[in-house]
Amino acid sequence: MAAVPAAATGPLLDTPDTRTQMLAYVARRLALAVGTLLAAVLITFLLVHASDSSPGAVRLGPGATAEAVAAENEALGWNRPLYAQFLDYVGALFRGDLGTSLIDGRDIAADLADRLPVTASIAFLATLLSGVVGVLLGVTAAVRGGRLGKGITTGSGVALSLPAFWVGILLVYLISLQLGWLPATGYVDFSADPAAWLQSLLLPVLTLTVGGAAIVARTANAGMREALAQEHVRTLRAMGTPPWRIRYVHALRYASVPVVSTLGIQFIALFGGSVIIENLFALPGLGQASQAAATASDFPALVGVVVVATAVVVVINLLLDLLVAALDPKVRAA
Amino acid sequence: MSVLPLPGAEAAADEVATEPVPQARRRRGLPGFLRRPGGVFGAGWLVLVVVASLSAPLWRPYEPGQQDTANRLALPSAEHWLGTDPLGRDLLSRIFTAGALPLLASALMLVVAFGIGLPLALVAAERGRRVERVISRATEVFLALPATILLLAVIGVIGNRLYPVMAVMGVLISAAVYRVLLGVAQSVRQRLYVDAARVNGLGSLRVNLVHVLPSMATVVAVQAAQLFGIGLLVVAGLAFLGFGPGEPEPSWGFMIQDASGYIYNAPWLMVPTGLVLALTVVAANELADALAGRAAAPTVRRRRRPLRRAVQAVTPATPADPEAVLEVRDLTVSVDDGPDLVTGVSFSLRQGQVLGLVGESGCGKTMTARSLLGLLPDGVAVTGGSIRWQGRELAGLTEREIDRVRGREIAMISQEPMVALDPMFSIATQLVGPIRRFRGVGRKQARRIAAELLRNVGIVDAQRVLRSHPHQLSGGMAQRVCIALALTGEPRLLVADEPTTALDVTVQAEILSLLRALVRDTGLSVVLVSHDLGVVADICDTVAVMYAGEVVESGTAAAVLDAPAHPYTMALLGANPHVPEGEPVPERLASIAGTVPPPGSWPAGCRFASRCRFAEERCTAPFPALPAHDTGSVLCIRVDELSREHATWEPESAGDETHVQPTPTAGVPA
């Protein structure tokens, strides 16, 4: 072909190098992550100091005299200027030191390090299962439509409204008591017996998956419908692209961005919501620790749990942002 | 206790943000949600629970602490409608006595959340970019805090006091409220009437109260309903953990906790309380869905194309052009159980020629063009006539059959190149896939062909474009890529639906000359849909002028444009702002009064008669098309008289406001 007119002006819009864009994006997200973590420490720190109780009173218990409490507070450094205490705390935090419990003197960092894997495994497994089940249901609803689609939509609307602790009890009743398939409560360490570990987590994970899968299914359904209504789907059809390819390569890829975001949010929600599930299934995780610390007003433990939980959330958010940026070419530029 | 962020509410926000007439929507919206079953259930159950809970002391059959020791863990009976708990206390009385606290605490959380989130959103939307950034960053931090664990920390510090704790929850959740409402507030502000109000001197507060807030009502309602449900779950969850009213005070969460200890010997105990709590949260969410109007979203169901009614029956009335590659005869396109969109359309096209389909918007040009590829919208189908492509009938083919034609034999480029490409994939990926499919080559070879195709459509920097994603391309560049994509299957026919309408004028000319070069060099045939007679004169060999779903005049482009026989064609030419070189620019353009009648309201006779200057009584009766322009036709009963009288469609006399009348004027891009 000889005389094809070439594009005369501005072949491409000005776009800086993709790698620079990505780096700037990562830097922005990192700054936000650090800021969030510091904010969490500051908020809980101020909260604790705004309390009308004091660590001395907590440690000595209700029977202690005012003088004894005052002396104890003095010894704990409670009366030093706030900023000095805060800087000390942040400094210790960087060394991985979260202080000791007011109740039993245990090392909080070590205690939480033992508990973190329990909560993290529940949240991770539940997110994974929610993702698989939710995407299957949501995509089916969007692609098949009809009565099945309506059923899935309605069912997920109900499922995401159910209180997790109630669902948990129902599952214990059904699966442990009626069917006798799984132990109702208790936790087995992974290193002790991996199979029993998985078994001990299965019910809590299933419980959290009921609501989680429902939310993912909704997102996947809406995302797929939106994707299939896009103009570029018509281009694909006009090119004779096989329907499975349009649905499961192009539309699914389009819907993957909201689905991945939802999964990240789900993980964070499940992580926070684990308190209740750990209580119900007697699992020694972070949630149980935070419940115990709240009940006993164990201030250092409270701050420690918030710090660790926030750190997890922040890291997950960061990973999520990077994943979404990798999935969606437009996000990097935004 | 999952809290953030609320996908439903954001969807609702999107919906409202794109809703052009929020006022009308709102007025319809309030009774509207009660027309959906979910809305009726949601509102009904919530009202029932609220009334029953708040008035429980007046009607409850037993005092919540009253123990019936003979009747512990009883199943439902006439005395205890929902049974009794381990101490023999009446469940019905306890459930509804307990209801007031979560309902009120959740309401408090709402008040705090909106009390903070709403003003912040309004301020951020009003004060511009910098203020918005500061507030948004701060709320992002709040959103990232683990709400449940932070709440427990608050309880650890201030003690087990539900209302202050839920107020803190409201503060935490206000960040999510802000985020959703900000989007809505911004889009409302961008609408013209808000600016107009500001210009009229209304103060900031009044603008917000009078114009912005009412438009946000739906989103606020949707979000409030959803958050209310979340609040209930939070209160119950806290009580479940023992951070609620202590025994003997009843609370939903603790009653469920209590029941969990009796699932061995009294499983019924967990049912009533859990069910009331679950139903209440479901009701809140159903109400939110109904308010958002989401339940009404029709489930997409791609119905199998209805088999054509009369397709086989048609034998071309006029002998088919023996040289034609595409022969469309009496094509009818209709909405399922609805009106016809296109009727009796016939045209033919030879190899290496360009056919223009012209007419105003809403004349059925695009439907006709899309029916060639079987790409009609859901619920629209070819219901009669024939589309013969190289001797083969295309009308009535199944999806699977026509898929083999698409891309390989007939390809399409569309009006909006920027959205015609998949935003998620690089250009290379989008070209390599079809090239491999059509030409059976390997990945490497396909990439080479892709680069070559891009160069063939005039893209110099092919490698760079291959690496790009669609959002990095300009409109003209994207259209070139679309053309390259259409060429991957080496088609013999290109359907181009307004290929230059969305582009800058200079780019339009480039794309047209590219098309012309392709036709010249490859022998491609083109069906070009356009409302622009200048484009048609520029590139088309033959023309079919469409009006209200039918072809009113056809023939060679030169003949039709030089000596139009149909008044509608005359009118289009008179309204055309393109001026041949060397001729003086006319002072005013002609216009065509009125609009194209919508499908379903077409008269039996000439469909243009109501707008035609030459219409007479006999134009209202049906009549057949007459041959014209050698190979073409014209659909006008007065054609001979008009040609004898040398009728033309001149601009109206001076004083007419033709030149400033914005709509609806033919020749102006729709």
Side-chain angles (χ1 to χ4, degrees):
Chain A
M1 292 207 293
V4 169
T9 46
L12 286 170
L13 295 177
D14 274 340
T15 46
D17 184 33
T18 321
R19 202 167 300 153
T20 327
Q21 257 176 29
M22 194 69 196
L23 274 178
Y25 180 79
V26 172
R28 273 202 309 276
R29 295 280 108 181
L30 259 177
L32 185 71
V34 173
T36 305
L37 198 54
L38 281 179
V41 177
L42 185 63
I43 289 172
T44 31
F45 193 83
L46 291 177
L47 196 64
V48 166
H49 279 269
S51 161
D52 43 13
S53 180
S54 70
V58 171
R59 171 170 278 181
L60 297 178
T65 61
E67 294 82 42
V69 168
E72 187 66 32
N73 280 338
E74 190 62 40
L76 288 168
W78 182 254
N79 298 327
R80 292 163 55 222
L82 263 189
Y83 71 89
Q85 292 188 53
F86 182 69
L87 289 180
D88 274 0
Y89 189 84
V90 173
L93 190 60
F94 274 107
R95 295 190 303 273
D97 178 7
L98 293 173
T100 54
S101 162
L102 290 177
I103 306 300
D104 52 16
R106 71 188 188 288
D107 183 71
I108 292 168
D111 181 45
L112 295 183
D114 282 344
R115 292 172 174 277
L116 183 60
V118 180
T119 306
S121 350
I122 301 171
F124 178 75
L125 290 175
T127 308
L128 200 69
L129 197 59
S130 301
V132 173
V133 176
V135 167
L136 279 176
L137 287 177
V139 170
T140 308
V143 168
R144 294 282 302 279
R147 205 174 289 170
L148 180 66
K150 210 163 215 171
I152 291 175
T153 312
T154 311
S156 55
V158 171
L160 66 84
S161 310
L162 299 179
F165 47 92
W166 190 56
V167 172
I169 299 172
L170 290 179
L171 285 179
V172 167
Y173 177 72
L174 195 73
I175 295 179
S176 296
L177 298 188
Q178 292 300 309
L179 302 171
W181 289 350
L182 290 169
T185 57
Y187 178 72
V188 180
D189 213 52
F190 179 79
S191 52
D193 180 355
W197 168 80
L198 194 62
Q199 228 180 24
S200 69
L201 290 186
L202 218 48
L203 265 186
V205 166
L206 276 180
T207 303
L208 292 173
T209 300
V210 170
I215 290 173
V216 175
R218 277 202 151 190
T219 315
N221 185 0
M224 280 297 278
R225 280 165 179 237
E226 192 192 318
L228 288 171
Q230 293 295 304
E231 185 81 13
H232 69 256
V233 167
R234 193 155 74 218
T235 310
L236 290 166
R237 290 182 64 206
M239 294 302 295
T241 315
W244 66 266
R245 215 185 143 77
I246 295 181
R247 283 173 191 163
Y248 302 114
V249 176
H250 291 273
L252 197 57
R253 175 68 193 275
Y254 190 92
S256 68
V257 175
V259 167
V260 165
S261 303
T262 306
L263 279 177
I265 292 161
Q266 249 345 83
F267 183 87
I268 291 164
L270 295 180
F271 200 87
S274 64
V275 186
I276 285 171
I277 237 60
E278 286 172 14
N279 173 291
L280 180 62
F281 290 100
L283 300 170
L286 281 185
Q288 216 184 46
S290 91
Q291 188 193 0
T295 311
S297 294
D298 190 346
F299 294 155
L302 277 178
V303 182
V305 175
V306 172
V307 167
V308 171
T310 311
V312 170
V313 169
V314 158
V315 169
I316 295 298
N317 267 332
L318 200 58
L319 291 176
L320 188 67
D321 287 338
L322 297 182
L323 191 57
V324 167
L327 278 175
D328 185 351
K330 271 180 291 189
V331 167
R332 289 184 290 248
Chain B
M1 273 169 108
S2 74
V3 168
L4 308 167
L6 313 150
E10 283 187 47
D14 286 350
E15 229 163 85
V16 169
T18 51
E19 178 71 37
V21 203
Q23 306 287 351
R25 179 199 180 87
R26 189 161 44 85
R27 248 172 246 130
R28 277 184 288 112
L30 280 179
F33 75 89
L34 283 179
R35 262 183 253 129
R36 306 175 206 287
V40 174
F41 160 72
W45 177 261
L46 281 180
V47 168
L48 180 77
V49 168
V50 169
V51 170
S53 297
L54 296 182
S55 66
L58 303 177
W59 61 263
R60 60 190 173 206
Y62 299 87
E63 284 305 300
Q66 191 181 333
Q67 302 183 6
D68 181 355
T69 37
N71 254 329
R72 290 190 206 161
L73 295 172
L75 291 175
S77 64
E79 290 151 77
H80 301 283
W81 287 5
L82 295 179
T84 60
D85 78 352
L87 296 177
R89 297 176 293 196
D90 183 56
L91 277 182
L92 179 68
S93 307
R94 284 178 71 76
I95 288 174
F96 285 97
T97 306
L101 188 70
L103 295 172
L104 292 175
S106 196
L108 172 70
M109 182 197 82
L110 278 189
V111 170
V112 174
F114 281 95
I116 299 173
L118 186 58
L120 276 184
L122 291 178
V123 167
E126 182 173 342
R127 291 292 152 81
R129 191 99 187 99
R130 194 177 306 168
V131 176
E132 185 261 307
R133 282 214 148 171
V134 172
I135 301 179
S136 292
R137 287 297 161 275
T139 54
E140 264 180 71
V141 170
F142 262 78
L143 279 175
L145 294 173
T148 316
I149 288 180
L150 205 58
L151 272 196
L152 287 183
V154 170
I155 291 173
V157 171
I158 67 170
N160 184 8
R161 289 184 286 180
L162 192 60
Y163 284 111
V165 168
M166 288 307 284
V168 172
M169 184 69 197
V171 175
L172 290 175
I173 228 167
S174 67
V177 170
Y178 162 82
R179 220 167 69 155
V180 173
L181 294 189
L182 175 66
V184 189
Q186 280 175 333
S187 82
V188 171
R189 285 215 149 254
Q190 274 160 11
R191 290 203 201 109
L192 282 173
Y193 64 86
V194 175
D195 281 337
R198 208 164 31 206
V199 171
N200 285 342
L202 285 184
S204 149
L205 187 64
R206 282 208 55 192
V207 170
N208 276 326
L209 284 181
V210 176
H211 294 283
V212 184
L213 271 182
S215 304
M216 297 169 76
T218 308
V219 180
V220 169
V222 170
Q223 226 194 355
Q226 259 180 339
L227 288 178
F228 188 69
I230 289 174
L232 292 178
L233 287 180
V234 171
V235 175
L238 289 176
F240 180 85
L241 294 174
F243 302 118
E247 278 286 314
E249 286 292 306
S251 73
W252 289 349
F254 193 78
M255 287 163 75
I256 294 175
Q257 169 74 282
D258 198 24
S260 75
Y262 290 88
I263 44 174
Y264 293 90
N265 40 17
W268 168 256
L269 189 54
M270 70 183 163
V271 176
T273 320
L275 215 52
V276 169
L277 171 58
L279 277 176
T280 311
V281 181
V282 170
N285 280 331
E286 286 293 326
L287 184 60
D289 277 3
L291 284 167
R294 220 157 346 135
T299 33
V300 185
R301 184 90 187 95
R302 206 171 287 283
R303 246 172 304 166
R304 194 156 290 156
R305 214 158 279 283
L307 285 178
R308 61 225 142 97
R309 287 197 292 255
V311 178
Q312 294 92 341
V314 172
T315 37
T318 47
D321 180 353
E323 284 179 56
V325 286
L326 177 69
E327 185 84 41
V328 173
R329 282 282 161 240
D330 286 327
L331 180 71
T332 303
V333 175
S334 327
V335 178
D336 291 352
D337 317 315
D340 292 343
L341 303 176
V342 170
T343 57
V345 163
S346 300
F347 55 80
S348 63
L349 178 63
R350 294 181 181 184
Q351 192 201 321
Q353 293 213 322
V354 181
L355 165 78
L357 283 179
V358 277
E360 287 166 278
S361 301
C363 284
K365 297 170 303 199
T366 295
M367 287 300 154
T368 305
R370 284 172 65 175
S371 64
L372 299 179
L373 271 166
L375 283 178
L376 292 166
D378 284 339
V380 177
V382 171
T383 48
S386 103
I387 301 168
R388 292 197 86 77
W389 162 246
Q390 295 190 328
R392 194 147 46 103
E393 182 57 53
L394 295 186
L397 288 187
T398 63
E399 271 300 291
R400 192 183 279 265
E401 287 166 332
I402 200 151
D403 253 354
R404 284 197 288 270
V405 176
R406 291 174 180 159
R408 262 175 236 276
E409 298 176 40
I410 306 178
M412 182 163 165
I413 55 174
S414 66
Q415 185 167 357
E416 304 253 10
M418 299 300 274
V419 293
L421 296 165
D422 190 334
M424 308 300 287
F425 291 93
S426 71
I427 303 301
T429 316
Q430 298 189 53
L431 288 176
V432 163
I435 290 173
R436 294 189 59 189
R437 190 154 43 84
F438 291 136
R439 308 194 185 184
V441 295
R443 196 173 294 275
K444 262 191 174 159
Q445 174 77 4
R447 201 177 162 106
R448 252 199 308 280
I449 296 174
E452 192 187 308
L453 281 173
L454 287 184
R455 277 191 291 272
N456 288 351
V457 296
I459 292 175
V460 183
D461 200 355
Q463 289 304 330
R464 181 163 168 196
V465 170
L466 278 177
R467 280 194 305 273
S468 309
H469 282 81
H471 72 275
Q472 295 168 307
L473 302 179
S474 65
M477 186 62 56
Q479 192 61 292
R480 283 171 193 273
V481 171
C482 287
I483 294 174
L485 179 66
L487 295 178
T488 52
E490 299 171 285
R492 304 308 302 147
L493 174 64
L494 184 66
V495 179
D497 186 0
E498 306 259 13
T500 59
T501 306
L503 304 176
D504 288 346
V505 179
T506 49
V507 184
Q508 284 186 15
E510 290 174 17
I511 296 293
L512 282 181
S513 60
L514 168 62
L515 285 178
R516 204 183 297 116
L518 285 173
V519 169
R520 187 188 58 214
D521 297 341
T522 66
L524 188 69
S525 308
V526 177
V527 172
L528 180 89
V529 173
S530 183
H531 60 264
D532 187 339
L533 287 172
V535 170
V536 171
D538 208 12
I539 189 172
C540 292
D541 300 295
T542 55
V543 169
V545 180
M546 288 190 70
Y547 185 80
E550 62 188 357
V551 173
V552 292
E553 181 167 9
S554 65
T556 63
V560 171
L561 298 181
D562 280 353
H566 195 281
Y568 181 61
T569 316
M570 296 177 199
L572 278 183
L573 281 166
N576 178 30
H578 288 258
V579 179
E581 254 178 88
E583 283 182 30
V585 178
E587 269 177 35
R588 51 183 60 245
L589 294 170
S591 70
I592 314 171
T595 51
V596 185
S601 62
W602 295 329
C606 176
R607 294 175 190 169
F608 186 58
S610 62
R611 300 169 73 190
C612 183
R613 292 186 188 168
F614 311 113
E616 289 182 346
E617 189 62 36
R618 57 190 170 129
C619 294
T620 56
F623 50 85
L626 302 166
H629 309 299
D630 299 334
T631 58
S633 67
V634 61
L635 190 63
C636 177
I637 199 162
R638 296 196 60 200
V639 63
D640 289 333
E641 298 161 49
L642 293 180
S643 96
R644 265 199 309 278
E645 291 164 12
H646 301 288
T648 54
W649 196 285
E650 290 299 326
E652 289 79 352
S653 55
D656 252 353
E657 295 186 39
T658 309
H659 53 303
V660 289
Q661 182 181 333
T663 50
T665 308
V668 173

